[in-house]
Amino acid sequence: MKLEWLVRGLPGHPLHPPLTDLTIGTYAFATIAAIGSKVGISEHPAAHAWWIALVVGLCATALTATTGFLDWIGIEWGSELWKTATVHMLAMLTATGFFLGAVFAGHHGYTAGTVSTGAFVLTILGFVFLTTGGWLGGSVVFVHGMRVLNLVEEPAERAAAPVPEREG
Ligand code: HEM
């Protein structure tokens, strides 16, 4: 087994995409909970859920950003793929900054069971950048085809099995 597979995932089964599901899902839940608290749907429990979900999202981001970075450093510098991936990275780091800011700015409100207006704005801004970054991540994979094997005729049992294929 190659050491690289432990940190980047197997060919056809990279590590970054499944971790992005966890991260984006957690931040999306936090954003929905913040809105729920602000509009008065279960205000206090939703405020608690919002803040805790942001912290979980930040923890998940550490793994997600690390695996993304390990793939990013292998891209040819200055290429069109590199440009898209780099803007994706900047959007995701900006989103992370806003969510981190919301955690600090919103801690006092969280202990009182509310989402402060400042922390709410930071959360919404974070979600806007997260969505933009997710769109660009989709461009990296589904437009540029990064880490896609595209073995259309691969037998189903081999496609599902963790059999390493060569990546282009
Ligand atoms: C909050 C952090 C991040 C999130 C939520 C995120 C999300 C995504 C998403 C949704 C995709 C498309 C994959 C798919 O549709 O399944 C993607 C791909 C990608 N991202 Fe990120 N990303 C994050 C951080 C980063 C960082 C910091 C970098 C680079 C330093 C990076 C580099 C890449 C690369 C190279 C790909 C192409 C697919 C791959 O390598 O597995 N990402 N990302």
Side-chain angles (χ1 to χ4, degrees):
M1 178 186 274
K2 286 201 224 170
L3 182 63
E4 183 194 352
W5 292 345
L6 287 176
V7 289
R8 294 184 67 224
L10 293 167
H13 304 275
L15 274 181
H16 187 62
L19 287 168
T20 70
D21 293 345
L22 170 68
T23 308
I24 293 173
T26 308
Y27 285 138
F29 173 80
T31 305
I32 292 165
I35 294 168
S37 177
K38 275 303 206 193
V39 299
I41 303 169
S42 184
E43 183 183 353
H44 298 323
H48 283 123
W50 155 74
W51 196 84
I52 292 166
L54 281 186
V55 173
V56 173
L58 288 169
C59 294
T61 296
L63 293 173
T64 308
T66 302
T67 50
F69 178 75
L70 290 172
D71 280 348
W72 178 76
I73 52 173
I75 301 171
E76 183 190 342
W77 278 61
S79 64
E80 297 306 313
L81 166 60
W82 181 85
K83 290 176 195 168
T84 310
T86 302
V87 181
H88 162 73
M89 172 183 72
L90 293 174
M92 287 311 188
L93 293 180
T94 305
T96 305
F98 280 125
F99 289 133
L100 187 64
V103 163
F104 282 107
H107 184 259
H108 186 70
Y110 155 72
T111 55
T114 59
V115 180
S116 66
T117 301
F120 179 71
V121 170
L122 289 170
T123 302
I124 298 297
L125 284 171
F127 191 73
V128 169
F129 276 89
L130 181 78
T131 307
T132 307
W135 173 276
L136 293 170
S139 301
V140 171
V141 175
F142 301 107
V143 178
H144 292 296
M146 180 166 179
R147 301 210 61 181
V148 172
L149 298 179
N150 198 26
L151 304 173
V152 178
E153 299 299 330
E154 187 76 343
E157 63 276 11
R158 274 183 58 86
V163 180
E165 299 279 354
R166 275 172 52 82
E167 281 185 280

